[in-house]
Amino acid sequence: MTMTTSQANTEVAVIGTGTMGSPIARNLHKAGFEVTVWNRSAAKAAPLSADGVALASSLADAVSNARVVVTVLKDADAVLEVLQAAGKSLRPGTVLVQISTVGVDGIARIAEFAKSQGLRLIDAPVQGTKGPAEKAQLVILASGAEDDRGVVDPLFDAIGQKTLWVADEPGEASKLKVVVNSFISALTHGIAEAVRLAEALEVDVEDFQRAILGGPLVSPFSSIKLNAIMNQQFTPSFTVDNAIKDSQLVVEAAENVKVWLPVADAGLKRYRAAAAAGHGGEDMAASYFAENTVAGSHYAS
Ligand code: NAP
């Protein structure tokens, strides 16, 4: 990729170097941006220095010279905590690219804070897990002022395969992300429950796989999750604990607009049950391990 003058001059601070933040920072650096990273636990940011990414000695150090600050943190509370801690080091006029999945209420709180500090917020949750993030193949769902798109589009090109601008107002992209997540949850639990039912009915799970393989029912995503369950391989692309957070955002959003989503409610219960059974740090496909522990239920095991 050829570096443009504007990329070389764009100082970008990536705040949060977890599963997603690390490859995002690495790909921005590879594309020629001047990237500085900060992570609450410094040890998680340290490996990036081998790739030539600058490690900030403090949060203030990371953001004070940045033209663009990218947040890739757990949730809205973490984002607000960090932004507040950054205080005056975060100069008015800085473009804040908010990538974390924070939900409808969360992005509203962040937008209010950004407005009060004169930050130019781009709401930019992403689709795609660890693998796509590493390969710069994320899909960026974006909303924010048209004037700022020239600054952030080159960043999005460096981390993703596609940017979908949905509105001029921050918040609309996070709404779309919640919609996408309700679909992802249904797919994941659908596969997990089909396998559990097959096992209980003594149907060969490979027959289930053969029955759907190659047909319109199988997506690459559901295939990956089915293979994960069949191979009992739950190295996380997206953890059950994070899926609980995302499912809560779906359920809360639905409650606020009074739409009945019993599948989303049940999905949240499955993830919580899987976490209670010790699978919180595993991939979301570990929904498979969910057991109904409600006392007296005829199907509790
Ligand atoms: P992760 O690996 O669990 O990393 C979470 C990051 O948030 C870490 O850097 C963590 O810092 C930081 N953090 C948490 N609480 C904090 C706080 N109170 N103050 C400061 N930092 C805090 O998560 P991830 O998978 O990278 O996901 C990051 C965001 O992207 C989440 O909103 C997630 O829903 C979203 N997302 C993830 C995926 C995926 O497949 N992984 C896909 C799409 C969207 P420490 O290292 O110090 O704990």
Side-chain angles (χ1 to χ4, degrees):
M1 189 182 296
T2 318
M3 193 195 323
T4 66
T5 316
S6 82
Q7 275 165 236
N9 292 338
T10 304
E11 285 148 332
V12 182
V14 176
I15 308 301
T17 57
T19 308
M20 299 299 274
S22 288
I24 285 172
R26 208 172 272 123
N27 285 329
L28 288 170
H29 170 73
K30 262 196 221 159
F33 293 98
E34 215 175 288
V35 182
T36 304
V37 294
W38 178 85
N39 195 62
R40 180 180 60 176
S41 323
K44 239 189 239 174
L48 285 161
S49 108
D51 299 297
V53 175
L55 308 183
S57 55
S58 65
L59 175 59
D61 177 33
V63 300
S64 54
N65 288 319
R67 182 170 176 212
V68 180
V69 170
V70 179
T71 45
V72 200
L73 298 166
K74 184 180 175 209
D75 55 17
D77 288 343
V79 173
L80 283 165
E81 203 177 296
V82 161
L83 293 177
Q84 273 151 7
K88 296 247 179 303
S89 329
L90 206 46
R91 291 165 299 150
T94 304
V95 176
L96 172 62
V97 176
Q98 204 310 106
I99 283 184
S100 335
T101 305
V102 296
V104 179
D105 173 64
I107 195 65
R109 289 191 287 135
I110 293 165
E112 197 179 309
F113 179 84
K115 198 170 175 192
S116 74
Q117 303 298 304
L119 305 173
R120 291 147 58 192
L121 174 64
I122 300 291
D123 175 21
V126 292
Q127 242 172 270
T129 54
K130 186 171 182 259
E134 286 169 350
K135 293 184 202 123
Q137 288 291 306
L138 295 169
V139 174
I140 297 104
L141 312 177
S143 65
E146 205 147 358
D147 285 354
D148 295 325
R149 294 185 190 180
V151 177
V152 299
D153 270 331
L155 275 82
F156 292 158
D157 290 346
I159 65 170
Q161 52 163 302
K162 180 167 89 174
T163 300
L164 190 61
W165 283 101
V166 294
D168 295 343
E169 282 297 310
E172 297 306 310
S174 280
K175 282 188 197 166
L176 175 58
K177 175 69 180 164
V178 167
V179 170
V180 171
N181 277 350
S182 80
F183 176 61
I184 291 174
S185 165
L187 283 177
T188 308
H189 299 304
I191 289 286
E193 290 200 352
V195 174
R196 289 303 292 263
L197 183 60
E199 288 172 348
L201 294 174
E202 297 182 359
V203 167
D204 189 336
V205 178
E206 285 187 16
D207 283 343
F208 164 56
Q209 188 182 38
R210 275 194 288 272
I212 60 171
L213 210 67
L217 292 174
V218 179
S219 63
F221 178 87
S222 52
S223 214
I224 288 168
K225 296 308 171 199
L226 178 56
N227 280 322
I229 295 170
M230 290 175 73
N231 299 326
Q232 295 287 292
Q233 176 47 256
F234 297 100
T235 306
S237 283
F238 192 69
T239 63
V240 167
D241 286 339
N242 272 328
I244 289 175
K245 184 262 298 181
D246 280 6
S247 293
Q248 273 168 332
L249 295 176
V250 172
V251 168
E252 279 163 24
E255 277 171 6
N256 284 341
V257 290
K258 300 192 172 18
V259 60
W260 188 53
L261 301 188
V263 173
D265 280 335
L268 177 54
K269 286 198 184 100
R270 280 200 77 87
Y271 283 137
R272 283 185 174 146
H279 301 279
E282 294 177 359
D283 188 71
M284 66 208 291
S287 153
Y288 166 81
F289 293 108
E291 295 288 351
N292 186 353
T293 51
V294 179
S297 163
H298 67 284
Y299 56 90
S301 51

